[in-house]
Each structure stands twice: as structure tokens, then as C-alpha cells.
Amino acid sequence: MAQLAGADEIESLRIELAEIGRSIRSSFRSHASSFQSISSINPVQQEVENDEEEALGWAEIQRLPTFERITSALFDINDGMETGEKIKGKQVVDVSRLGGQERHMFIEKLIKHIENDNLRLLQKLRERINKVGIKQPTVEVRYQDLCVEAECKIVQGRPIPTLWNTLKEWIFDTTRLSLLNSQNSKISIIKSANGIIKPGRMTLLLGPPASGKTTFLLALAAKLSTSVKVQGEISYNGHMLNEFIPQKSSAYVSQYDLHIPEMTVRETLDFSARCQGVGSRAELLMEISRKEKEAGIIPDPDLDAYMKATSINGLKSSLQTDYILKILGLDICADTLVGDPIRRGISGGQKKRLTTGEMIVGPTKALFMDEISNGLDSSTTFQIISCIQHLVHITDATALISLLQPAPETFDLFDDVVLMAEGKIVYHGPRDYILEFFEDCGFKCPQRKGTADFLQEVISRKDQAQYWSSAEKPYSYVSIDKFLQKFRDCPYGQKLKEELLKPFDKSQSHKNALVFGKYSLTKWELFKACMTREILLMKRNSFVYVFKSTQLVIVAFVAMTVFIRTRMAVDVLHGNYYMGSLFYSLIILLVDGFPELSMTVSRLAVVYKQKEMCFFPAWAYTIPSAVLKVPLSLLESFIWTTLSYYVIGYSPEIGRFFRQFLLLFIIHMTSVSMFRFIASICQTVVASVTAGTVTILIVLLFGGFIIPKPYMPSWLRWGFWVSPLTYGEIGLTVNEFLAPRWAKMSANTTLGRQVLQSRGLDFDSYFYWISIAALILFIVLFNVGFTLMLTFLNSPARSRTLISSEKHSELQGQQESNGSIGANKKPVGYLAERTVETRKGGLVLPFPPLAVAFRDVQYYVDTPLEMRNRGFTEKRLQLLSDITGSFRPGILTALMGVSGAGKTTLMDVLCGRKTGGIIEGEIRVGGYPKVQETFARVSGYCEQNDIHSPNITVEESVMFSAWLRLPSQIDAKTKIEFVNEVIHTIELDGIKDSLVGMPNISGLSTEQRKRLTIAVELVANPSIIFMDEPTTGLDARAAAVVMRAVKNVVGTGRTVACTIHQPSIDMFESYDELILMKAGGRLIYAGPLGKHSGTVIEYFESIPGVPKIKDNYNPSTWMLEVTSRSAETELGLDFAQIYRDSALYEQNKMSVEQLSSPPPDSKDLYFRSHFPQNGWEQFRACLWKQHLSYWRSPSYNLMRIIFVTASSLLFGILFWKQGRKINSQQDVFNVFGAMYSAALFFGIYNCSSVLPHVATERSVLYRERFAGMYSPWAYSFAQVLIEIPYLFIQAVLYVIITYPMLGYDWSAYKIFWSFFTMFCNLLYFNYLGMLTVSLTPNVQLASIVASSSYTMLNLFSGYFVPRLQIPKWWIWMYYLCPMSWSLNGMLTSQYGDVNKEISAFEEKKTVAKFLEDYYGFYHDFLGVIGIVLIVIPIVIAILFAYCIQSLNFQRR
């Protein structure tokens, strides 16, 4: 963060550090234990010695040449390696060469208590700069008449992207009909905003969701997408955005955490610090040193060392990184991988802090921070904002920070507030005046209400009325425009207007305030930084490369034992097999580059982010990426060639071995470069995989093996010369078949030439080197293309928003009538009345009120290996210890505790959601022992992660839950009424037709998702509801809406328990009872809250030593502070033991005793069936949901239909009328090649594309299965069945397009077989994809397993090696391979009964006979083939259903 300060701050920091250094040294020498006592223990004699030592050291530095002096400083030398060991003294060291341990010890010495010591450090830095009279650079950001508009697409009916809607849109776009339909419209996001963000002042940005906060921050940081239209002026120190480099002059901290998961926290910050450079710090330090030398000032040695160490450009590891790690509290996880959903890494809160640290580690002076506190508890947020406040106030930096639910103490750290609503700035002025402003408008903040919460609710139409304070006149809704007008008329509004009228004097701008150069490092330094990172990432991804190499070894072993030399001879017939083995080698090495697609796409988001922030240009990333893949390509091609060359029995000359190795190496390089290039164009996984598959298909078809060049239509033969595989095929075949052993004469030519001619590859030996040159040219072109794509394309923006015409009209009407208050009176009053009426007379289904009592609950897990390695001896780790308590009907209970106290663990144990560990103790429901099967029927669990099917609407999600969870006795009409009632209670009416979407990508916001989770559980009419952190990640207004919904639920007499982090005062006091836990899973309080939290405050204040709560302080924050582990240590107390010795504990034991006894005349819960609905209803409901989900997945279903259509057309054109011209064996090979290509590529595409779809739905299945909604078999069969219509359409399209174009026989029998074999082929490939997902924990591993199976399906399909040629030790694989049965059925049904004579390998025989002799295909065997083709998909589908039921990869 001090980097933000720039050069001036660093001088004062050095002075501070010297003083801290002196006091720390005196502390070490006097063996003082606390940092606070450092300054007090300071013997005079030691101080004199220190000063003499420092003076001598400083004199030595002053004698050094300038370039050495600027990197030399006095540094402590310790006796030992650990911080705190005795310091020997100071020594002159080169600070550019400090080791990791030295940097860590230095920062530990400087900063013990983060807030206090960071403040002192910055103050001393400022003092040093001020002492020599240097002015610090500052940035003032102005925005005038700022308007931002985005384009949206209006659709008739519901704005849902169905297959039909998407297809229509594509047709309209391609035929330009969209212009006629005028379906596009513009929506204003920010409307005429004016203001000044001043340096040296902390500015808070507040506003409800969708108010335009993020767009506003992006606009000020010049980071808005080019797809939105920006009007008005934004200037930094009077300079327009196009006059300097705003991306380097300001730092935008995104609310989305985007990092490379394989890097550690320290490595991420080091790379950022290296690329962002040190700004003007080095220049400032030179100026300070010069002026100090002139004035004879000796700076504090530690401060001097800090300033010098943070002013050196291009260091691989910087002291600044250690400083940022320390002040953000990331030092404890500095060497932990960032991680992602697959790799275990840092927590969400730590990731959020890393996102902040990545930007503030640079030297920027203007900060725009977007919701940086999401996922952080209030104490951590306070600490981080406090550090930023010190930085802003002391170094005159500029900061605009948006927060969701700032606690009162955090809110008080800010100087100014910008309040936004509906894209307008309602207030922009001092924090101290804002409450007075709203009081003038007639609204008063209640005494125990957080100011930030009040501000966000007072501008909301639904919440405004409760704060009306004027007794003279009745309340009427005050619109945003009315507030805006009042602000313009108030003194601060007038003052702002006057300031904006005076233009900023550019001459007052410091020369170092703004950045005019795009990159901080030289080209060579940028290249080195990116190359170092790529080497690191290759090491971290070594498993992938080892796995690929191992896979290649296995495939090579199988291939060489299939094409084994003992079964191969040097003749025309076996020449065909040799040709097949060479082509198979090419395919393997071509497809081996395919994983580069997903690896590149996974990195693109971070690369684009860092490129946009001017960390590096595109070439600095692409060149290292390409260079570092060379050793990999060498290894892969070497493995394949060395294993297979002599075993398969190619020509034995050593020169030909190396030539084959060289060509395969270059083919692999070409493949990797090509897929990287495709990824850079497509940018998303789905699009890249589709484009990659199409590319492989085209490259293979035009490669000259599946259909030789002479057989291609003459106008398409150019495709042969532009396919990289062609040159691989020419090079390999020329190298092999022009060898001496193939020089025997046969039919006026050599054997080798005869084989080459039959395949249309009759080229001379020099074509080998032409092929090498052509492939190298392809490599260069693909890598240049990759660089250009990253340079000129932007990161993939979200597609245009779809909006219904009704919603659009409503928005337009709102904009027109916003100024009129009278128009708004009726709707508000009407809405309030309607709400009351509905809730009074709302439909409430009968449910049994049930209490949950638990006694002495313990929970153990196996001790993690890391803990055992650190010396923890116990085999089991206890996470819950002696938990006794109860939840009662109509009572809202809060579960609280610090992070890691066991709140969610307790909830999971009580709900029966744990999948591992040992549970002990007694849990009773309604007085009877808990039985999990029946408990799932009467309880609901709102998980912390809101998991829902993305492609169904809010109303359909609630409807699906009601259909399967309400008793079958309730009729459909009542269910619909109840669903509507729940939707209204949870306030989801306005979004009930919206798609749920994927979290943080599309669909609902976090708060809407949270409410949907509650609605889905509430509609089951449970007696007991558990909610895990229902308000985390929400802003104050959204949290209030959720809590209002929760209170409504409690009001119906249900039992509700919620875990909460650190809520606002009014939210905390909306609970009735509290269960408070401490680290280690022990109870420290269980009882009522009392009015204004009086009971719980009284309990803790009665404990000796506990400090009293301050006025208007948040009781939940105070309670966690006074019971923290450090407070326990300081007071010498154990709050858990105090609770066990209290009268309250005895009362709770008695209460639990009573609730553990069944009430008189009560019965234990009993249900006749395991599920509320029978198997048929479960299947129907699952099929209904899957149908909606599939119909609304154009990226999945429409893409594969288009893929099949386009590919079929390509097959038809390329193999035009080949099915009719059967005169030689090559004609049969051509037709078989067409069948093989279609079966393989359609199958692989379906298998690959189904993986992410099923994986997404499986995570929803885990939640719904725990809730007892349906049997896994019902889900599995619905999933299997819903694929059939889409696969049927694909098979029909294939037959309709290819059958006539290839010129097959027009017989109904043969047409049916063509359709039937393709349909069954698609079925089992699709079900194979589902099966791999069910067998693996995540989609990444599933795709690896699936791709491994493709190589075997390919080899044993009967295309490369016919059945009769496969060695007997592998023949079982041929029969196991489903594709061999498909190809057998396709070819045999078409030609197995054709008795036309053809020339086959210099013999005359019928087509039917050739199929029998060469392939082993018999027409009489078709009946068996038909049965096997039906059985295989059925078997795979049953296996999928069995694995879904039996395997659970969710770990809880």
C-alpha cells in the first residue's frame, strides 16, 4: 500500500522505521516480551552505542557511488535465524539482494500490531518527506454529466433463451431482419452524475443492488467495456482520459476474485509488484537523499532500508509484497496456493484480500475498490479499511470504496459518502452531514440503527415509510429525483456545483501524479517476468504433463502390440496396415494437443485482466507460452517414436527413425499452436471445444487418408494443401514407403510407390523437407495469430441482456414519471395494504410444530495428515464438544461464533448432512429419537451455497420442490396456491419468471438466490428450518428483506435456526434466542437475547474482568470481541467452563429434558413410503425439469444440432456420390472412412459436451437427494430419457443430409439401418459421458477419463486394423468396443449383400466377399449386431444410474 504513496511518502516512512528499529533493538536487549514496552525500556548507554554504530554505517554508505548508495542500507544482523533472537548489530547491505527470511524478519520487526504500527510507519515516512520540503503527487478525479448506456435486446413474452428464441435471433442477425424488427434498445445505467473525488479523503460508495455502483467505478477507472456508451467528462487533475494512461494512474479492485489457482499468494503479489513497478519512488528517493545530504540529515536506518528496498524496479521478490501480506493479514497463508473449486487453496475471505493486495501492491495514487469486504467478517473489514484510511490521510491518496454492509465502526472511518440509486447520485458530500440532510427531507435514523443500513433503506420504495419522522404532514413516497433536487439545493450541493465550475489548474498537477508510459518495465524485463511465471506454472501443472505422457506410453504400448511387426509383411495388403498405423500416430499426436484448449481458456481471463491493467503486452505472454511447449513436444514425440518405431516394424534405417521423430515433433508443435490459437479466438470452453472438434474433423478429412486427394471434388482439393495433417501424412509416408525394403518391383512400379499411389500420396522424397517447412510455417502463423488475438480482442463480455417488452415498457414509464411524486402515492399505499391483507388471509398448510432437542453431541473426524506431520498425536480430531441445547417452535434462534467455531458443523450434524466422521450424543425431534428418513420429510435446510438448476425459472424451481415434497394427498390447485403464497411471502413476485442462472455469471443476484433457497425449502411445508448464513454476501437492504422473510416464516409457528456471521444491531436483535460457540466447538452461551440484547449483555458483563459495552455499540460485535481467544488468555478465563457452571446451563438442561419426553397423546413421526411421491411421479417431475432445462440450453443442444448439420453437409460435399462408385478396395475404404468419421466425431462431440451439463445437475442432485425429494433412479432415468429426442433429431439430420449426397441405395431397409446404427452410436457415446461424470468427482477429471477412452474406441473400431488382423490377445477389446459394432452395422447393412465385382488388391471379388475377407463383416450377422447396438446403451445407462445412487463425491 505504501506504493500508492509514491516517492514522497517513502522518505517519512524511513524516519519512522529508524525510530521503530531503535526501540525494537532496545526491547531485544532488555529481553522485554511486549511490543508496547519497547519505547519505555531504553538504556542511555546502549542508545549512545547504537547511534555511534549507525553514524559509522551511514558514513560508509555516503562514500559509495550514487548507483550503489541508492540500494545500500543499514540492516540488522541477527545471531539466529528466528525473529526475536539477539541482534548483533547493523551492517551495510545491498537491499536488492535480501533473502525471503530477511525480508520477513524485517517486516515482522516493523509491524507487530497492524493498525498502530502501520500508522506510525506511514507517519514517519511522511515526516521524512516533509522535512526536506518535497511535495507529494496527488490525484483529483472529476466527473461531469456522466451518462452510461448499455444495449439490451427486447423479446416478446418471457426473456428466456430457449432453442427457438436463440435460433430466431441467429436467423434475424444473419439475414439483417433484426434491423426491421427494431428489437434493440438502450437502458441508462448512470444518469447525469457530477462530483469530485478528492485526494486525502476516504470516500464510501453506497447503494442498493443494480444502482450502478460497479459501472460507476469502472467508468472512473476507464475500465468499461467498449459495448457500453459513455457520455460526459472524466478527468484526473484536469487531464482527460485520452491524455494519459488511466489504467496505470489508478487501480480498480474488482468484486470478482480472478487469479491463477496454481500460484501461491506471495507469488501472485510478487508478479503484480514486479509488473506494476515502483512508479516515481526511485526518483523521489534520489531527491530526498540529495536534499538530506545537503542539509546534513541522517535518516532513520530502518525507514531508509524500507524505502530503498521498495524503490527497486523489476525485483522477482519485493519487500513491498511482505508489507502488503502483513497489513492484509495474508502472511499466514503467503505460501499457500490460491486454489479453485478443484485445487484446495485459500479461503474466500483470503481470496478477497488477495484481490485487494494485487492492486495496492503497486504505486498507484487513485484507488477504486468494488465491494472488497464480501466474505470478510466485520473485524477484518475494519482492519483493512483502517489501513487504507491511514494510507489515504497520510499520503494524500484518492480512494472511492463501495461496501455492502459496513459496520458502524467501519462507516465512521470514511470522510465522504456517495449514495447512489437508480443510476443517479443522490448525495455526494461529508459523512457527518448526511443524517442531517435526510432529517431535512423528513427521515430520521433510529437510535439503534446503523447509518449505512438506514441510508440504503431510506431510498428504497418498500422500506422508506418506517423512517418518516415528520408529525406535521402525512408520509408520501419521496422519489430519487426529489432527493436529488434537495441535495442540489443544500449548501454542500451548491458548493460542489461551484467547485465543478472552476476548472482544475493543470499547472498545479505534480509531474509524477499521472502516468504517461504504458508499461513499467523494459521489454526484456517484461519477457523475463512472464517467462519465469510460465516456468513456475509448468512445474505446478507437472501432473497434467506426467499424466499425458503416461497416457501416451500406454496408448503406444497398445498400438505397437496391435500393429506388431510379426504380423506385418512387406506387400501391398500389409502396406495398407502400415499406412493405417502411420495415420494413427498422426491422430494421436494431433489430439494430444487438445488439452491446450482448456488450459489456455482457463488462463485467458487472468491474462486479459492483467493486460488491461498494463502489466504486460500480449507478446510477453504468448512467446514464453510457445517456447516452453517445445521440450514438451520433444518428449511426447520421442516417447511415441522410440516405443513404436521398431516394434511396429518400420524401415530399420536410423536416419528414417530420426526423420519420423522430427516430423512427429513438429506435428505436435503445430497441434499445440493451433489449439492455442483457437482458444484465443473462441475465449470460452464451450465455444473452444466446439471449434476445436470441428477443426480436428476438417483437418482429418482433408488430411489425405480418410479420402485420398484424387477422390475429393476438384473444387475442394485446395483443402488438401491447407490441412497441416496433409504435410504430416506426406512426410511420414514418403519417409517409410520410399525406403530400400519397399523398392521391390510390382506391376511396373515399386511396392512402395504402388501403396502411395493407391492413397493419392505419390510424392518424391524431397517432399519430406517441403512438409517440414510447411509445418514450421503453420507453427509461426498460429503463434503470430495467437499474439494478435490477445492483442486486439478484449476479454469476452457478457452477451446483451434479454428483457421482455413488458419490463422494457415499465422501465421506460418509470424513467418518464420518476419526477412525479403524486403518481407514486397510490402504488405504495396499495402495495402495503395488499401485503397486509394477503398475509392475514394467506394459505397456510397444516404442519406439526416440532421442537429439536440435542444432548451431549460430539463430532470427531480423522486427524488431517498435515496436523499429524506437525506433531498432533491424537488419531481423532474433535470438532464439537458436549453440545446441549434446543430449538423450539415459533422461536428464531441464532447460532454464532468466530470462524471455525463449528456453527455449520453443528447444523450439518443435526440435519444428518455429514458424509464422514463420527457423531455421538442424543438428538430428539418432538420428543422421539431422530430418524433421518422421516426427519428429511419434516425439515428444510437452506445451505450456505445456493445450489439450483440454472436453466429453470424461480417459479419453476419452487414448483418443482412443492411437487415432490408436499404430500400426495394435496391436490394440484392447492399446491399452486401454496407456491404463489410462498413466492409472495419471500418477495419473489417480481423475478418469478427469471432464469436462476449460474452464480456470478448470469441470472439471479446473490440476494435473490438466497431468497430462492429459502422459498424452495419453505414450500416443502417443513416444521423445522435450518439456515446456514442466510445474509452473508448481501447488502443491508437485501439482508433486511431476507430477515423479514425469515420472521414471516417464524410467525407461522415453525422452528427456525440460523447461523450468522456479524450482523447489524437491528438484524441481531430480530432473533429471539442465541447459541454462542467458541473455537473448538464448545458452547459459551445458550439462552434468550432479551430486549435490546439486554439478557446476553447482562450475562457477559456479570463475568469479572469483562469490559462493559459502549453506548450504541453492536452487541454481536462486542460479544465476539470480549469472548475471543486473546480476551480469554488476557483475562485467564474459560468461557465454556463458566457457562457449564452457570444457572443458565442448568435451566437449559432441564428444558432439554422436558423436550426430550414426548408430549401426552403424541405419536412418533411415521410415513408409509420413503418419498412423498411414488416412483412414477418422481420420474415425471424430474423429466419435466430436465425437459425445461434442455430446451433452454442452446449452448448445449442447439450447438450440437448445428454441429451435426454442418458436419453432415461437409461429409456430403466431400464424399459426393462415393457410395455409388464402388470399383476397387479404395472406394470401399473411402465410404468406410465417411462412416467412421461421422460415427467417431458425432460421438466424441456429444460425449464431451454432455460432461459439464450433467456435472452441474449432479451438484443439484446432491442437495435434492438429501432433502428426500426423489430416488436417484428417477433422476437418472429422466436424465437418460431426455437425451433421446435430441439424439434422434441428430441421427435423422445425418441420414437426411448424407444419405442422398453420398448416393447410397434407396432401400427403406438400408435407410433404417443407417439411421438405427447412428442413433445407437450417439446414445452410447452420450451415456458414456454421463457415466464418466458419475464415476469422477469433477468435470475436469471426467473429461480426462473420457478423452482416454476415445483413443481406445478409435484404435479398436475396426477402421485402422480390421478384426481379422487384430492379434488374438487384443480381440476381446474389439468386441468390447461399441464403435466396432456401429461401423460393422453401417457398412454391412449397406454393402453386405452387394454382389458387384470389384478389383481388391489385384484380385477380382464381389463387394460382399471383400467385406468378409478383409473386415470379417457378414450380412447374416446383422440381427446380432442390432441386438448388441440396443443392449450397449441400455447397459451404460443402467451403470450410470447405479453409480449416481452408489457414489457420493460430496465431502462434508
Side-chain angles (χ1 to χ4, degrees), residues 63-80:
R63 287 194 295 272
L64 293 171
T66 305
F67 70 92
E68 281 187 38
R69 190 170 70 243
I70 210 70
T71 60
S72 301
L74 289 173
F75 216 78
D76 287 337
I77 305 300
N78 287 5
D79 277 348

Side-chain angles (χ1 to χ4, degrees), residues 1163-1175:
K1163 289 182 182 176
D1164 195 0
L1165 292 170
Y1166 170 73
F1167 298 99
R1168 280 182 297 179
S1169 60
H1170 188 69
F1171 299 101
Q1173 304 296 331
N1174 60 38

Side-chain angles (χ1 to χ4, degrees), residues 855-898:
R855 189 185 308 170
D856 299 327
V857 171
Q858 328 276 345
Y859 179 64
Y860 303 90
V861 292
D862 292 335
T863 304
L865 188 63
E866 296 88 353
M867 289 185 70
R868 276 185 279 176
N869 292 341
R870 289 202 300 266
F872 191 87
T873 53
E874 298 292 327
K875 287 185 179 178
R876 296 194 306 183
L877 185 65
Q878 187 164 9
L879 300 184
L880 294 178
S881 177
D882 299 320
I883 305 290
T884 300
S886 62
F887 304 133
R888 289 171 294 147
I891 302 290
L892 181 55
T893 308
L895 238 74
M896 283 190 71
V898 294

Side-chain angles (χ1 to χ4, degrees), residues 807 983 987-994:
K807 182 74 175 172
I983 285 173
E987 300 186 24
L988 291 170
D989 310 67
I991 55 163
K992 66 179 184 179
D993 290 330
S994 303

